[in-house]
Amino acid sequence: MFSPTAAGLLPIILSLHGLKVEAVNFTPVPSPNLDLSQLGRVAIAGDFDAISLYTFQQQNENSFSTNGSQSLLTQMPNGDFATLASADASIEAMCPFVMKDGTLVGIVVGGNFTSLGGIEAQGVALYNITTAQITPLPGLSGSVSALYCDSTTSTVFVGGEFTGANSTNAVAWVGTAGWTNLPFAGFNGPIQTINKAPTGNIIFGGSFTGLGNASGIPDIPDQQVINLSTANITAGGSSSTTGFSDPKNIVCSKSGESGPGQTWLLADNTPGFWQAEMSFGYQPTKLRVWNTEQNGQGTQTFRFTALPISGIMNFTYAGNDGQTASCSSQCPLNASTTQYTDFHFVNVIGMSGFKIDISDWFGSGGGLNGIELFQDDIYAYAVSSLDEPACGVSQFGSNSTATGPWMATPSNQSSSEYLTANLTGPGINSESASVTFLADIKQSGNYTVTIFTPGCQQDGTCDIRGISNVTGTFASSTGSSQSIQTSIFQTNDFDKYDQIYRGYVDAASSSFRPSITLSPLDNQNTSISLVAQRVRFQLDSPTAGGLNGLFEWNPNQATASTDYSNSTIDTAGIGLHTDALIMSVEVVGQTTYVAGNFSGDGIENIFAISNGNATSLPDIGLNAAVASTFVYGDLLFLGGNFTNTTNPGTPGLNYVAIFDTSKQAWQPLGNGVNGQVTSMVPLMLNVTTGQPETCITVDGIFNEVLASGSSPAFAATDGFAIWVPSHNNWLQNLNIQTMAITGQLSASTNISGSTPLLAGTVSAQGMGLSDAAEFSTSGSPSLNSLGIRIQPQQVASPNQRKRAVSGQNVTGAVVGLFDTDNGRNTTIIGGHFTLVATNGSNINNLAIINSTSNGTQSVVGIGSGLDDNSVFLALATQEDTLYAGGTVTGTLNNAAINGLVLWDLATSNYVSPQPPAFTGSSVAVNAIAVQPDTSNVYVAGSFDTAGSLNCPSICLFANGQWKQPGTGMGGSIAALTWQGNTQLLAGGNLTVGGNTTTLATYDTTGQVWTEINGASSVPGPVTAISAANSDASQFWVAGKSTNGSAFLMLYDGTNFQSVGDTLGKNTLIRGLAVLSLSQDHTATSLVPADLSLLVTGQLDLPSFGNASAALFNGTTFSPFILSNSGNGPGSISQLFTQYQQTFSASSGSLSLGAIVGIALACALGCIFLIVLAGFIMERRRRSREGYRPAPQNYYEKTSANMSRIPPGDLFRNLNQNQPGPRL
């Protein structure tokens, strides 16, 4: 048993014992309650390779890590991945720790990490799937590569490259007892794999030659002097005599001479102490002490206390009789100064200081003439003051040289001071900074060379730590086996070390020094922090031990037999050529398969053991090393550096292969990949059956899956591909709609009754759709393919990336529309992309998808003549003509195209002639709007003229010619929308009549531009507009303010209302759309209860993170769509629909002007009713008082009739009394 801290873990382990196994829980998010039924077909366009609707709180748009760190992962019900706990480095192995009674204690996780879930854990930890609690298992120092959980013995066998108490590279955790040394104390080389043989014995595989501790005993022990000259030296009880009071007098004294400045004395008859505290850690093996005889004084006994642990150390030494003696609290010194006394440490432990207490003395007091401290392991430090002192005994003392902007950094929680270089990219390379470590090797031999990296948490550089490039030369006649080059991620939270070399090292001489150089890895384009601390050379055991990479042990035996002839497995390893590296041991039925990098008689890199015999596989195995394996039924999947069998017999085994154990035959995975495979991990995916099935992920250093049969080659993003055993094909070749995954997976483990756990770093979304997707508009929203295959953005190599325009950040699909005029059922997508047409040709930047009533569709492009680097930013149709604008250039019929092109959808030809091209310093068409109930088309953007017509920012195309709509408009227009039939709203970075503004309206009747009242409160250029009511008198605007932050505002008809500072600083809003709801939310002054605002782009939601689309209810932004592009967040440009959004009478709040108008109308109505009532009452009064209507009959209008009226009749009644008029 070992590790004092393990005892403190036992209550935790005991509390975990007996926990009920439960699946990891995921929290669903509330339904968005969108009602898309009135919109017809609905789709989105953007820049993404993978996309999901946000349905669980654990979803995100996170990219996969490229700094070497990995995480514990699991899959949600929708197939996306959730991160359970993140490590600061790689996770290499996992297994479920199940006790004899079947109870799951937790998942044991091993790797090269120093923290898991933010908790310090050196290489191994326990994860509780029920509580998500992480329990470190301290006691090991190094990395874990292999785990085997044996439920029959409640034991976890752990292998790797580490030390712990008396064990090296292999140890066991037994039940609730904790760490336990194996009977053979581990191995003298690293372990890569552990498995259980059909017999029940445990098989260890790796690179070792013997059992026991790997550290050898040097021929020249105690060979490195520990530097005391830079230590903080203090003393107590010192003499006051001049020249003898300074405790530093005895540092670097090799002769034992006495005298002022060379001797330190205590005051007479006074006990005292001498103490040294260093800024680095060490493990001393020998103390050398010179006594003094100055003035008849001298030290008789002392004790040595290690700091900071305050432990009194035990020594052995040569007594006066020549026999070995021991001491602890009273170690004796001879009175003579002619010879020093060497004290050898019984226990070699770490310390950073020590204290010598003098308890008895000769004469009147104690004192010393010199002290030296030694260690076996050889270190070289980046901070040269920590290296062997100049006064040391070595001719070639360890030291270092540095170039570049290095600065010393305090040790803090690390083992020593170190150097830090802050480097600014781009253009960082190995010349930017370097440290070369020169080791003082006194004995040639086989060494393990380790480089130490201080943790980043202590100095706050975790976000900017970079990758180091490490090279080394270890022998004067350097061959490939005595030199190395590797890269090391420096993002570890806590101190770690990495083995960089294991092999022969020459002793230092005047003509050769073993050296290691640390510098930044080339092509790190961001600013980084690089650290350099120390390297260690540790002599390996010279004893061969008789093994060769394989060892079988019976766990029921208390000892390990060294008679290897009784084990078929041991003898199989011994029979291989020396230096075998075993990477994998798999058991299929009663047969054990061993794979790695080795050869033997008739065996290459893989063989089988069954019935007591080791046998070769067909065609003598594989022609190069195997790095990873996975068993799936009777099939053994293998990945590595091979390209065929040793005797070529099965084509297509390029770096991946299947061995059918039932048929004893090799099978290819298609035609393989084009580079080394490092891991193969199972993954459950819903492919075609409606039920998850096992697929095999393949990771490595490749960027293409090779063509096979009718399946073309395809790019494999960052060395990642998925094989589907049920289809015997790669997932990408199946042409089905499934989830998208990229990144790396390194390990997996199954848990009975729970979701499998995975380890790695991935970026995944529910669907592998690129740049465009369509919504189902019935029931709950879901995403489907538009039937096109836009080529995804690649991150593996620059020449495979989706096209990008210099100086322009628009890629992918930018704009789309549905066209149903004249019996068509067409979807048009524009942007900057490449996709494959129905006939197999490539289409660039503008795609037309023609659907038929029987469900078939054809995907076509437009004719040649346009430049491939064109970008389409705006689309509109007017009858049969497609208007497509953007940064579009080319030549059609010898006429230049710039900004706009017209396509006849009826004839599938370019319109001829094309409108005269736009001109200007940077021509771009950003918006096109067809005036309702007319053939007028308004085209807006950034340009000066249309042909020879002066037409800045916006032009009207009508009757085959350009016209300038009004005067006084200038700047750049980004968005247009109609407010009724005659008012056109424009947003952007505008000038109206020479005044700068962001919004203006155009009256098509009066042909006048007018700045929107209150537009001065909009903090920056407008890039997106959406109507908020039926006539767009209320509308939403978005853009970037002058300080770089995103803004989102509602215009209520009179004033602008901001949503406030609710979006993160990295937000880019590219589209807005008001949508109906199937269930009301609480109404606000910004958004009515039955509506929601969809915001698209690349959003930074402070309480969530990145999202590509979010819904705003007037108070809160809720993530709606998540996407990724390459290894980063995706972006959605816009939502486009077949029909426009309609607004109910209750939708929208009333503006102040509308309220005033309604009030005035009501007042006028009331006045009218009052007047009408008064008129009716007056008529009734007159009727009661005898009033009669005047006669309405006219006399015949002829001269005859007129002559018959007697003149007297005309005037007869003039003088009759009549009542006067009533007032």
Side-chain angles (χ1 to χ4, degrees), residues 7-88:
L9 293 174
L10 298 187
I12 299 176
I13 302 299
L14 288 169
S15 69
L16 296 176
H17 180 61
L19 285 175
K20 180 181 179 182
V21 178
E22 297 180 2
V24 179
N25 293 320
F26 306 104
T27 308
V29 299
S31 169
N33 296 320
L34 290 180
D35 180 7
L36 306 179
S37 58
Q38 63 172 305
L39 302 177
R41 295 181 65 191
V42 181
I44 52 174
D47 183 13
F48 52 85
D49 304 325
I51 191 167
S52 293
L53 292 179
Y54 180 61
T55 53
F56 291 93
Q57 289 183 4
Q58 289 79 8
Q59 289 177 251
N60 57 59
E61 282 189 354
N62 294 349
S63 58
F64 64 85
S65 169
T66 58
N67 65 2
S69 61
Q70 296 183 336
S71 300
L72 285 178
L73 308 167
T74 190
Q75 288 181 275
M76 291 176 274
N78 63 356
D80 287 358
F81 287 81
T83 298
L84 303 177
S86 295
D88 63 349

Side-chain angles (χ1 to χ4, degrees), residues 131 219 526 620 793 969:
T131 66
D219 295 337
T526 59
I620 320 181
Q793 182 172 341
M969 170 58 74

Side-chain angles (χ1 to χ4, degrees), residues 734-765:
L734 299 182
N735 196 24
I736 59 175
Q737 187 171 297
T738 187
M739 73 177 302
I741 313 170
T742 186
Q744 299 172 342
L745 290 176
S746 58
S748 70
T749 188
N750 288 320
I751 310 162
S752 178
S754 183
T755 307
L757 292 191
L758 301 158
T761 173
V762 299
S763 173
Q765 298 296 344

